[in-house]
Amino acid sequence: MKNYQIYKLFPTPVFHFKLENYQELNTELENYILNLRKKDEKGQRKSNTGGWHSHNFDLTNDNTAKKFAKIFEEFYKKVIINEMGWKYDSNKVKMEGMWSIINKKGSFNIQHNHPNAYLSSAYYVRHPEKSGSIKFFDPREQKNIRYPIIKNYTNISAVITEITPKEGDLLIFPSYLYHSVGENLSEDDRIIVSFNVDIDY
Amino acid sequence: MNQKNVYELFPDPIFHYKLENYKQINKELLNYILELQKKDKKGNNRSNKGGWHSPNFDLVNPGPPINFINSFKDFLKHLIEDEFGWEYVPNKQRIVAMWAIINKKNSYNVRHNHQNCYLSSAYYIKKPENSGDITFHDPKEAKTYRFPEVEKHTSYSTQSTTIKPKEGDLLIFPSYLYHDVGINLSDEERVVVSFNIDIGY
């Protein structure tokens, strides 16, 4: 039966990029992150449960951190201009915080979103098999609090979407979108970099 | 180039179906509606501004409303089972109310949604040019309450979408989705039938 059309309005986009030359970048990032951890073993407690969450990278004085930020800028700039259609003024668009999380075996991240930003991101430096996928949650409460019995989840009735990224993948998504990261069931560390982008006028 | 994929998560679906025998159905329904109007000139006061909102149709006894329901019931079953993936149990999906709205010149409908049901609908019996189109609004407050300056509307940044249906078109959409109807600028009347579907188990 296909005598009808469907308009799928107001989707929540998750932009998935693959970085060229990511191996080289990931080696640099990993060294940088492990070095940060040496100096700050406690890190901070946010959505991380069991894992290590760095403090924000120093994007004002640290040239290496600034270089990383520059690499990601190309991608969020594209998203802002081409995909979201937002006005891009380089003086007003700011990376507001960039940090890393290392999830060792048994670690995970509880459901959270990123306040006071428009776009957020996850970049995968190390992502061993079974080290925890990212799950995104439907932001519409009115749909999720009451619904009919679901026999087959479809793109329309889905409440959660899980994405299993690979090393070198960059995900950019709206900051209001709640997400969580599954438990790391592998023996190896899972290492990611996150950042927020805000725009003021 | 860096490979790009966009996951378009959690859309709000609008189903646009054309009734096969709409001319006959529309004639019957229009007579039925005009009879109702004769008996109840005041009608109800809901989202209608200036227009006449009928009392609820008789969905128990045979007549034009039942013939109308029979003309799309297979489509409705397909939509529930295959598009939403919801369990379909005969007699558990009920049309809980059906009514008509006649918008004469300068009438319109303010923004509203339909409570205590899962699916709602608009079916077009008389739809002269410039008689007012239906606009749907993004239900995500977190997205629409605060947002950057939009330079070019895209399917990701847009907060409302207008659909221009024709006579014989049936729109079915989630009941939580807010919508409004533009002012009737034509000299002729615009006549629609709406209904709500609930599912109980």
Side-chain angles (χ1 to χ4, degrees):
Chain A
M1 181 178 265
K2 213 55 194 164
N3 48 352
Y4 62 95
Q5 279 179 286
I6 313 176
Y7 312 112
K8 291 187 176 180
L9 308 185
F10 317 126
T12 301
V14 175
F15 303 98
H16 188 168
F17 297 96
K18 181 90 184 181
L19 265 66
E20 278 169 13
N21 308 321
Y22 69 88
Q23 276 138 331
E24 204 180 311
L25 173 66
N26 285 2
T27 307
E28 268 185 79
L29 272 170
E30 187 172 344
N31 288 335
Y32 181 83
I33 293 160
L34 293 177
N35 204 36
L36 280 185
R37 187 167 66 168
K38 260 187 223 157
K39 289 184 256 170
D40 177 21
E41 280 179 12
K42 233 182 127 195
Q44 57 178 334
R45 181 77 204 276
K46 308 285 265 206
S47 67
N48 49 310
T49 307
W52 176 80
H53 189 305
S54 78
H55 281 87
N56 276 341
F57 294 4
D58 179 356
L59 295 174
T60 316
N61 303 308
D62 183 338
N63 285 330
T64 315
K66 277 156 84 175
K67 190 183 84 180
F68 297 142
K70 196 79 197 157
I71 291 169
F72 295 123
E73 186 186 53
E74 179 199 338
F75 295 92
Y76 66 73
K77 187 174 175 180
K78 238 182 253 177
V79 167
I80 289 172
I81 297 172
N82 301 337
E83 305 287 352
M84 305 308 292
W86 293 335
K87 185 174 165 184
Y88 193 94
D89 176 342
S90 50
N91 295 315
K92 304 282 172 84
V93 177
K94 291 175 299 170
M95 189 182 275
E96 286 283 3
M98 182 183 216
W99 63 92
S100 173
I101 296 171
I102 304 180
N103 278 356
K104 62 177 191 289
K105 185 172 184 170
S107 308
F108 56 95
N109 291 72
I110 57 169
Q111 187 177 342
H112 66 286
N113 66 7
H114 298 196
N116 292 325
Y118 286 117
L119 293 173
S120 295
S121 164
Y123 175 71
Y124 296 87
V125 178
R126 272 197 178 272
H127 199 289
E129 287 230 354
K130 301 188 168 157
S131 63
S133 298
I134 187 164
K135 279 182 184 168
F136 292 99
F137 296 85
D138 188 335
R140 294 163 301 176
E141 260 196 31
Q142 58 282 54
K143 171 180 165 253
N144 304 329
I145 188 63
R146 194 175 190 98
Y147 48 84
I149 294 173
I150 298 177
K151 266 175 89 176
N152 307 298
Y153 280 94
T154 69
N155 169 250
I156 291 168
S157 56
V159 179
I160 296 174
T161 298
E162 186 165 355
I163 294 174
T164 305
K166 291 190 161 52
E167 289 172 10
D169 285 2
L170 172 67
L171 301 180
I172 297 180
F173 49 88
S175 302
Y176 62 73
L177 193 58
Y178 276 93
H179 52 284
S180 67
V181 177
E183 183 174 355
N184 185 349
L185 298 172
S186 82
E187 301 296 326
D188 300 304
D189 285 354
R190 174 186 186 276
I191 306 179
I192 62 111
V193 167
S194 270
F195 58 84
N196 288 334
V197 177
D198 202 17
I199 303 175
D200 44 49
Y201 289 99
Chain B
M1 198 38 221
N2 308 283
Q3 182 189 315
K4 196 199 78 190
N5 189 11
V6 188
Y7 306 104
E8 300 188 335
L9 308 185
F10 317 126
D12 296 295
I14 313 277
F15 298 93
H16 187 168
Y17 181 71
K18 184 91 181 180
L19 254 67
E20 268 173 37
N21 51 340
Y22 74 90
K23 281 182 191 162
Q24 180 59 30
I25 295 274
N26 284 5
K27 214 168 124 187
E28 277 184 30
L29 277 173
L30 185 61
N31 287 335
Y32 178 86
I33 293 161
L34 295 176
E35 279 302 309
L36 281 182
Q37 196 183 22
K38 261 187 222 158
K39 286 183 240 162
D40 180 5
K41 290 200 171 126
K42 232 181 126 200
N44 292 337
N45 191 5
R46 311 294 286 261
S47 68
N48 49 310
K49 294 291 165 203
W52 177 79
H53 188 303
S54 81
N56 280 337
F57 290 4
D58 177 0
L59 300 179
V60 178
N61 299 300
I66 299 292
N67 296 343
F68 170 52
I69 291 170
N70 285 333
S71 73
F72 63 77
K73 65 174 196 222
D74 290 345
F75 169 62
L76 189 60
K77 179 172 189 280
H78 165 74
L79 198 145
I80 288 173
E81 277 190 318
D82 302 318
E83 294 289 0
F84 285 94
W86 293 337
E87 186 170 69
Y88 187 90
V89 183
N91 305 322
K92 296 287 183 181
Q93 9 275 306
R94 293 169 300 132
I95 295 189
V96 287
M98 183 180 276
W99 63 92
I101 295 172
I102 303 181
N103 277 358
K104 60 179 189 289
K105 188 166 187 169
N106 292 327
S107 308
Y108 57 97
N109 292 72
V110 294
R111 184 161 164 168
H112 65 286
N113 67 6
H114 298 198
Q115 286 118 30
N116 291 324
C117 47
Y118 288 115
L119 295 173
S120 295
S121 169
Y123 175 68
Y124 296 85
I125 293 180
K126 286 229 168 253
K127 181 75 176 64
E129 288 240 345
N130 300 319
S131 63
D133 291 311
I134 187 165
T135 299
F136 293 96
H137 301 274
D138 191 326
K140 296 183 295 288
E141 266 201 25
K143 173 189 156 198
T144 57
Y145 181 65
R146 193 181 185 97
F147 49 88
E149 196 176 332
V150 175
E151 212 157 51
K152 153 188 100 176
H153 279 281
T154 72
S155 62
Y156 306 128
S157 61
T158 195
Q159 300 188 2
S160 60
T161 298
T162 299
I163 291 172
K164 300 186 174 185
K166 291 189 162 53
E167 289 172 10
D169 286 0
L170 175 67
L171 301 181
I172 296 184
F173 50 88
S175 302
Y176 61 74
L177 204 55
Y178 277 91
H179 52 284
D180 57 46
V181 176
I183 189 163
N184 184 349
L185 297 172
S186 83
D187 290 316
E188 293 164 80
E189 288 179 338
R190 175 187 188 277
V191 184
V192 303
V193 167
S194 281
F195 57 87
N196 290 334
I197 298 162
D198 202 16
I199 303 176
Y201 293 101

